[in-house]
């Protein structure tokens, strides 16, 4: 872990941060204030950035790789709510607003790199920069809407339909997500996903 300024790849990281969905409209003055607050973290496959049920929350800006938002029940059964890739964000902002523990974990699906800061620092920054807050809150509402649409899809579409919807919505991710993870996201067994592929149904 290191700050952006101290990182040996700081020039690349600065370019990646400026491409982020939420941060790309910021001014140089905004950057001068935000950058010292960010810590750069490299993650291996399977590393947890956030554990389900905690109150200590952070804000994440994805520089490289792929993360998943996942809920685990008492029997250790997983439900993947979403995948987030380069230029995207991950957050537990809604839980903070509702004053509840985090209802999900955030886990690295592949080798990944994120820039993070404590959620309270990010919220403080947004209060001083309402245009950034507006962009951020829109993005949070958008991703929550996507999660709701995905959850409804699991109940309304058959197995091939779920896969086709994913291919239509996220064609760039199909070959990047391990098939076991994709099957879990679509509420299929890995065997079913493989069979659909071999039968030419997807």
């Amino acid at each position: 872990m290191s700050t952006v300024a101290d990182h040996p790849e700081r020039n690349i990281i600065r370019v990646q941060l400026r491409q982020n969905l939420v941060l790309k409209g910021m001014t140089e003055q905004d950057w001068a204030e935000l950058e010292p607050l960010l810590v750069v973290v490299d993650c291996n496959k399977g590393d947890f950035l956030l554990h389900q049920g905690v109150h200590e929350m952070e804000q994440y800006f994805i520089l490289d790789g792929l993360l998943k938002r996942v809920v685990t029940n008492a029997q250790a059964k997983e439900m993947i709510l979403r995948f987030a890739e380069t230029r995207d964000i991950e957050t537990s902002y809604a839980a903070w607003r509702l004053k509840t523990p985090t209802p999900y974990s955030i886990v690295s699906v592949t080798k990944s790199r994120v820039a993070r800061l404590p959620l309270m620092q990010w919220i403080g920054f947004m209060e001083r920069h309402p245009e950034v807050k507006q962009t951020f809150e829109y993005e949070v509402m958008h991703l929550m809407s996507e999660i709701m649409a995905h959850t409804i899809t699991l109940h309304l579409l058959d197995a091939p339909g779920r896969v086709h919807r994913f291919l239509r919505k996220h064609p760039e991710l199909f070959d990047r997500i391990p098939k076991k993870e994709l099957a879990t996201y679509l509420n299929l067994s890995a065997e079913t996903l493989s069979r659909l592929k071999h039968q030419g149904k997807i």
Side-chain angles (χ1 to χ4, degrees):
M1 292 191 297
S2 72
T3 63
V4 176
D6 292 336
H7 200 283
E9 296 178 44
R10 57 186 169 272
N11 292 335
I12 294 171
I13 289 167
R14 282 171 177 149
V15 170
Q16 290 171 322
L17 281 168
R18 282 161 172 75
Q19 294 172 341
N20 185 272
L21 289 172
V22 170
L23 306 179
K24 60 186 179 182
M26 293 201 325
T27 67
E28 287 306 313
Q29 189 174 351
D30 297 341
W31 281 111
E33 185 181 341
L34 180 63
E35 188 183 287
L37 304 177
L38 296 171
V39 173
V40 180
V41 182
D42 288 306
C43 311
N44 292 313
K45 180 180 178 180
D47 284 356
F48 278 73
L49 284 158
L50 178 76
H51 286 273
Q52 184 175 325
V54 302
H55 285 273
E56 191 172 317
M57 305 177 194
E58 294 183 310
Q59 173 65 32
Y60 307 97
F61 302 100
I62 305 165
L63 304 176
D64 196 21
L66 196 63
L67 307 182
K68 65 179 177 180
R69 183 184 289 197
V70 60
V71 176
T72 309
N73 69 11
Q75 289 74 43
K77 181 175 173 59
E78 281 192 355
M79 179 179 181
I80 299 174
L81 300 177
R82 75 181 291 248
F83 294 102
E85 60 172 335
T86 307
R87 302 180 186 174
D88 207 341
I89 61 166
E90 254 306 353
T91 188
S92 43
Y93 181 68
W96 176 81
R97 289 289 300 267
L98 294 168
K99 298 180 171 58
T100 61
T102 52
Y104 45 75
S105 300
I106 297 171
V107 185
S108 188
V109 176
T110 63
K111 190 174 181 181
S112 305
R113 175 177 285 173
V114 303
R116 72 183 189 192
L117 76 164
L119 190 58
M120 288 306 299
Q121 286 189 6
W122 171 241
I123 289 164
F125 176 83
M126 289 195 295
E127 292 303 324
R128 297 187 296 275
H129 301 275
E131 69 288 347
V132 177
K133 184 178 182 181
Q134 184 178 10
T135 302
F136 172 75
E137 289 189 337
Y138 173 85
E139 196 57 41
V140 169
M141 286 188 290
H142 174 71
L143 68 86
M144 289 176 73
S145 175
E146 285 287 307
I147 289 170
M148 186 180 294
H150 166 65
T151 305
I152 292 168
T153 294
L154 296 182
H155 294 281
L156 296 184
L157 296 182
D158 62 8
R162 283 176 245 162
V163 179
H164 284 300
R165 181 182 184 275
F166 183 84
L167 283 166
R168 190 176 71 253
K169 300 280 288 185
H170 308 285
E172 75 288 353
L173 291 180
F174 188 76
D175 291 323
R176 292 183 57 200
I177 299 173
K179 292 303 174 274
K180 183 180 176 184
E181 302 271 10
L182 181 59
T184 300
Y185 177 70
L186 297 172
N187 198 25
L188 305 170
S189 68
E191 292 76 19
T192 298
L193 186 62
S194 178
R195 187 171 66 252
L196 288 171
K197 189 172 183 180
H198 287 308
Q199 291 173 348
K201 293 184 179 178
I202 59 173

